């Protein structure tokens, strides 16, 4: 009997990996080799049945069909399985003194509109008023003037604008700000509410059958960029919000949780154009130098 290298249960992964052609990109080969090996080991470990395999394919198919211009169900699936946070963590291990990263989330679906420092992003004025201030610096504390600060958040009922077209104003609670010469930024908003991720699709079904809740604690999203520095995608979490300790997408990091104290000062509120009393929060963001900039230095 000759060894034709045919597919068998024992050699299944090996046969598939050997089928990769010589022109395969080295990194792609590395990824596919590991993926195939782990997938085949998984199937053998759990002794996957044909019915279970079929249901898995059907689940992934429905996940794809649920995606649209304002919803990315596959990112949601990655989030609730902890893969998104694991990728973020692996790729930003050496954050040193930089602001910690967390998940992008599925609602950065539209470009935030440029706004002037001090503008409000709460276009409908609904919710508890809040002043957000902060400063962007390098790891050595040098202020980064001209840095971009992209922010977006849910409203006081826990919905993003893209979830409520015709109810919320377009581009509500989104803004793109540029830091001043001191690296500072500030804007007016409202205190966001905790909310459930979209749970009316396949990912929601997965949470239900595994006894998990779909909620995220209250937070504001940030993407901060500056020339010569690594960008950071992060959150500002509201201390005391429900689900801080059980975020469905595992995105909470202790360094990103802040108090939002109440300020009762009618004169200050009037100067800011906010209702009184109002809440306030300060969030400093520290960026690391980019590898390219380090390479250019003597």
């Amino acid at each position: 009997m000759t060894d034709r290298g045919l597919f068998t249960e024992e050699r299944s992964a090996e046969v598939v990996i050997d089928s990769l052609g010589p022109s395969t990109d080295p990194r792609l080969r590395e990824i596919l080799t590991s993926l195939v090996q782990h997938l085949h080991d998984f199937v053998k470990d759990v002794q996957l049945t044909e019915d279970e395999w079929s249901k898995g394919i059907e689940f992934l198919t429905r996940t794809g069909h649920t995606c649209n211009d304002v919803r990315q169900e596959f990112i949601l699936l990655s989030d609730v399985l902890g893969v998104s946070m694991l990728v973020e963590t692996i790729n930003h291990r050496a954050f040193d003194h930089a602001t910690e990263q967390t998940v992008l989330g599925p609602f950065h679906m539209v470009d935030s509109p440029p706004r002037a420092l001090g503008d409000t992003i709460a276009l409908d004025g609904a919710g508890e008023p809040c002043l957000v201030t902060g400063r962007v610096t390098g790891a050595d504390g040098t202020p980064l003037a001209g840095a971009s600060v992209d922010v977006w958040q849910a409203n006081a009922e826990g919905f993003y604008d893209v979830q409520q077209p015709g109810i919320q104003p377009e581009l509500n609670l989104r803004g793109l700000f540029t830091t001043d010469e001191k690296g500072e930024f500030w804007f007016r908003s409202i205190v966001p509410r905790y909310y459930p991720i979209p749970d009316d699709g396949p990912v929601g079904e997965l949470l239900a059958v595994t006894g998990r809740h779909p909620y995220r604690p209250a937070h504001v999203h940030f993407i901060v960029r500056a020339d010569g520095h690594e960008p950071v995608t992060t959150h500002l979490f509201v201390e005391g919000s429900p689900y801080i300790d059980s975020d469905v997408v595992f995105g909470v990091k202790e360094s990103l949780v802040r108090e939002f104290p109440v300020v009762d000062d009618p004169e200050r509120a009037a100067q800011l154009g906010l209702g009184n009393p109002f809440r306030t929060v300060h969030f400093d963001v520290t960026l690391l130098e980019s590898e390219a900039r380090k390479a250019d230095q003597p």
Side-chain angles (χ1 to χ4, degrees), residues 95 98-101 234-237 252-258 283-284:
F95 75 94
T99 298
E100 289 195 273
Q101 298 256 356
T234 194
H235 291 15
L236 173 61
F237 290 96
V252 179
K253 295 184 177 181
E254 191 65 40
S255 68
L256 304 178
V257 182
R258 295 287 190 283
F283 186 46
D284 287 336

Side-chain angles (χ1 to χ4, degrees), residues 5 17 22-23 34 40 47 60 144 198-199 216 226 233 258:
I17 292 167
S23 63
S34 181
H40 285 235
Q47 292 291 289
L60 293 175
L144 298 178
D199 61 352
R216 298 213 65 203
T233 298
R258 295 287 190 283

Side-chain angles (χ1 to χ4, degrees), residues 53-124:
W53 176 84
S54 180
K55 287 180 179 177
I57 295 296
E58 187 266 341
F59 173 82
L60 293 175
T61 301
R62 288 193 297 115
T63 298
H65 288 165
T66 305
C67 298
N68 55 44
D69 290 343
V70 295
R71 179 167 177 169
Q72 230 304 347
E73 195 79 356
F74 272 112
I75 289 181
L76 208 59
L77 179 60
S78 174
D79 288 349
V80 304
L81 293 177
V83 176
S84 300
M85 271 306 300
L86 182 57
V87 171
E88 288 284 357
T89 302
I90 288 172
N91 282 272
H92 300 93
R93 288 186 182 118
F95 75 94
D96 193 24
H97 299 297
T99 298
E100 289 195 273
Q101 298 256 356
T102 189
V103 293
L104 175 66
F107 293 112
H108 193 255
M109 307 296 294
V110 294
D111 292 333
S112 298
R115 301 192 193 280
L117 294 175
D119 278 356
T120 184
I121 62 174
L123 304 184
D124 56 6

Side-chain angles (χ1 to χ4, degrees), residues 23-24 54 129 165 168 182 193:
S23 63
T24 305
S54 180
Q168 291 192 47
K182 298 179 181 179
R193 186 181 188 271

Side-chain angles (χ1 to χ4, degrees), residues 121-284:
I121 62 174
L123 304 184
D124 56 6
E128 188 176 10
C130 182
L131 174 67
V132 181
T133 63
R135 188 167 180 248
V136 181
T137 68
D140 61 356
T142 302
L144 298 178
S148 69
V149 181
D150 186 357
V151 297
W152 69 103
Q153 66 173 79
N155 67 5
E157 296 180 352
F159 293 99
Y160 290 84
D161 57 342
V162 294
Q163 294 177 290
Q164 293 186 312
I167 298 176
Q168 291 192 47
E170 188 176 0
L171 301 177
N172 191 37
L173 295 168
R174 297 179 188 268
L176 182 64
F177 297 90
T178 302
T179 58
D180 66 10
E181 66 279 0
K182 298 179 181 179
E184 295 178 346
F185 65 89
W186 62 95
F187 59 92
R188 291 170 290 155
S189 185
I190 55 99
V191 179
R193 186 181 188 271
Y194 64 90
Y195 61 84
I197 63 171
D199 61 352
D200 57 345
V203 173
E205 294 174 17
L206 178 63
L207 293 176
V209 299
T210 54
R212 293 176 58 190
H213 71 71
Y215 285 93
R216 298 213 65 203
H219 58 274
V220 181
H221 292 267
F222 285 78
I223 299 177
V224 182
R225 297 183 174 91
D227 289 343
H229 292 77
E230 297 292 341
V232 64
T233 298
T234 194
H235 291 15
L236 173 61
F237 290 96
V238 181
E239 177 66 88
S241 172
Y243 310 107
I244 280 283
D245 297 325
S246 61
D247 183 2
V248 67
V249 305
F250 312 101
V252 179
K253 295 184 177 181
E254 191 65 40
S255 68
L256 304 178
V257 182
R258 295 287 190 283
E259 297 280 356
F260 280 60
V262 176
V263 176
D264 187 358
D265 185 338
E267 183 176 347
R268 176 66 171 151
Q271 291 173 345
L272 294 169
L274 290 170
N276 189 68
F278 61 95
R279 304 275 285 276
T280 185
V281 64
H282 188 82
F283 186 46
D284 287 336

